[in-house]
């Protein structure tokens, strides 16, 4: 069976971070934390420090889209210097409360992104052609399935695998390591999806193209110009060695119809 395996962040969904902070700000979602130690004077410095932490720091399985308490606590601690805007003793309880509000905002931002009908139509087209559709993401095990459900892709996706979900305390399994892709194929096989050809689709040249191409997968690069330039942990290269590429979602239906014809033809020749 031909499997189309998609990266999530920057490929199926765009980074919701900036829009989610804007929602928190516009809807005054942090105002009631004043009594818990987040003064109104601290709100804007917190959002600025948090954005800097998110831009600069990444770590294994870090979930930048739904965020981690780690960046919020670091930002709060930057404001908690002696005589600062936040009392150090308030950080332990403030940071998870702020995270919870962020995730509610991010859910709304992700659900409203405009590419979903186009991407869903492409997935429907792939499934109608007898292919399987999967998502394989460097992410927390809880995060990618939630995002896929919120965007409405859930009914079209046969399997979701994540770096955290495929890792153990002894073995870290993360793109761009080859093990990520071999484990993804093994996980699909265990779920009854026997891949005779994998078409891997992603926005990162290093994470989504170089290794899968070397492994013989068909590769498709989305050159996503909406990826925030400030994120040092993203690969911003605009050139690609992928077999196919696209720069707008509007190109997807025709491109994926062409890929289907090409890989289907290769499959018939091999058979
Ligand atoms: Mg990505």
């Amino acid at each position: 069976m031909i499997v189309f395996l998609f990266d999530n962040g920057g490929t199926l969904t765009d980074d919701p971070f900036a829009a989610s902070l804007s929602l928190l700000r516009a809807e005054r979602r942090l105002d009631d934390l004043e009594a818990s130690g987040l003064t109104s004077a601290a709100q804007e410095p917190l959002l600025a420090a948090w954005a800097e932490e998110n831009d600069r720091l990444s770590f294994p399985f870090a979930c930048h889209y739904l965020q981690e308490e780690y960046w919020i606590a670091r930002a709060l601690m930057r404001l908690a210097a002696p005589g600062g805007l936040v009392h150090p003793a308030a950080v332990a309880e403030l940071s998870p409360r702020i995270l919870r509000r962020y995730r509610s905002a991010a859910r709304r931002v992700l659900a409203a992104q405009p590419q979903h009908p186009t991407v869903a139509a492409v997935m429907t087209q792939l499934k109608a052609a007898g292919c399987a559709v999967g998502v394989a993401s460097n992410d927390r095990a809880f995060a990618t399935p939630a995002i896929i459900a919120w965007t409405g892709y859930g009914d079209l996706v046969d399997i979701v695998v994540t770096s955290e979900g495929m890792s153990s305390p002894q073995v870290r399994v993360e793109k761009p390591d080859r093990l990520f892709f071999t484990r993804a194929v093994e996980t699909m096989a265990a779920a009854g999806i026997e891949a005779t050809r994998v078409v891997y689709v992603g926005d990162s040249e290093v994470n989504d193209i170089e290794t899968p191409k070397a492994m013989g997968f068909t590769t498709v690069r989305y050159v996503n110009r909406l990826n925030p330039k400030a994120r040092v942990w993203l690969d911003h290269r605009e050139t690609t060695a992928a077999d196919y590429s696209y720069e707008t979602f509007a190109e997807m239906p025709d491109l994926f119809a062409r890929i289907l014809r090409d890989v289907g033809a290769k499959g018939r020749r091999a058979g």
Side-chain angles (χ1 to χ4, degrees):
M1 164 180 271
I2 298 168
V3 180
F4 282 78
L5 202 51
F6 290 85
D7 166 56
N8 173 42
T11 302
L12 298 177
T13 54
D14 285 312
D15 195 319
F17 182 76
S20 302
L21 291 201
S22 295
L23 261 188
L24 293 179
R25 186 184 283 120
E27 296 180 348
R28 312 190 69 84
R29 295 280 168 162
L30 303 180
D31 286 6
D32 66 310
L33 296 176
E34 175 118 32
S36 306
L38 187 72
T39 60
S40 55
Q43 279 194 29
E44 281 306 319
L46 167 68
L47 297 181
W50 180 3
E52 279 181 17
E53 296 292 331
N54 180 56
D55 279 346
R56 292 176 188 171
L57 290 176
S58 204
F59 47 88
F61 323 131
C63 183
H64 288 277
Y65 279 28
L66 301 190
Q67 284 292 297
E68 306 279 0
E69 192 184 332
Y70 177 75
W71 294 298
I72 301 169
R74 282 178 62 92
L76 285 166
M77 287 305 290
R78 282 169 57 177
L79 309 183
L85 289 165
V86 173
H87 195 283
V91 173
E93 290 179 84
L94 272 177
S95 52
R97 296 177 72 187
I98 295 167
L99 176 64
R100 184 173 170 181
R101 286 156 203 219
Y102 169 90
R103 286 188 177 160
S104 296
R107 175 179 182 155
R108 291 158 61 202
V109 169
L110 285 159
Q113 289 179 346
Q115 68 270 33
H116 301 331
T118 307
V119 174
V122 168
M123 288 179 174
T124 302
Q125 169 192 10
L126 298 174
K127 292 181 71 74
C131 303
V133 173
V135 179
S137 181
N138 270 356
D139 201 2
R140 302 287 301 277
F142 71 82
T144 308
I147 294 170
I148 295 306
W150 298 343
T151 52
Y153 302 140
D155 292 341
L156 298 165
V157 170
D158 300 298
I159 192 162
V160 177
V161 297
T162 62
S163 54
E164 187 189 49
M166 295 192 293
S167 294
S168 66
Q170 291 76 30
V171 185
R172 180 175 147 194
V173 180
E174 213 170 21
K175 290 188 275 187
D177 292 347
R178 191 173 270 253
L179 189 56
F180 177 95
F181 299 95
T182 54
R183 283 271 169 92
V185 169
E186 287 165 8
T187 306
M188 290 192 293
I193 302 168
E194 290 287 349
T196 52
R197 168 141 298 272
V198 178
V199 181
Y200 197 84
V201 187
D203 68 309
S204 166
E205 192 71 9
V206 64
N207 278 350
D208 303 318
I209 306 302
E210 289 174 354
T211 308
K213 189 175 170 75
M215 293 171 71
F217 293 6
T218 300
T219 49
V220 187
R221 169 86 189 277
Y222 173 36
V223 180
N224 185 349
R225 299 212 162 83
L226 292 178
N227 279 340
K229 291 285 182 280
R231 309 282 195 275
V232 300
W233 37 269
L234 280 178
D235 176 4
H236 295 289
R237 272 180 286 175
E238 293 194 350
T239 55
T240 182
D243 300 298
Y244 303 89
S245 69
Y246 59 102
E247 297 182 4
T248 64
F249 287 108
E251 296 169 58
M252 284 184 79
D254 286 351
L255 176 67
F256 280 76
R258 179 156 70 89
I259 297 169
L260 262 180
R261 287 194 299 273
D262 292 352
V263 296
K266 270 187 203 156
R268 279 193 294 277
R269 274 202 302 275

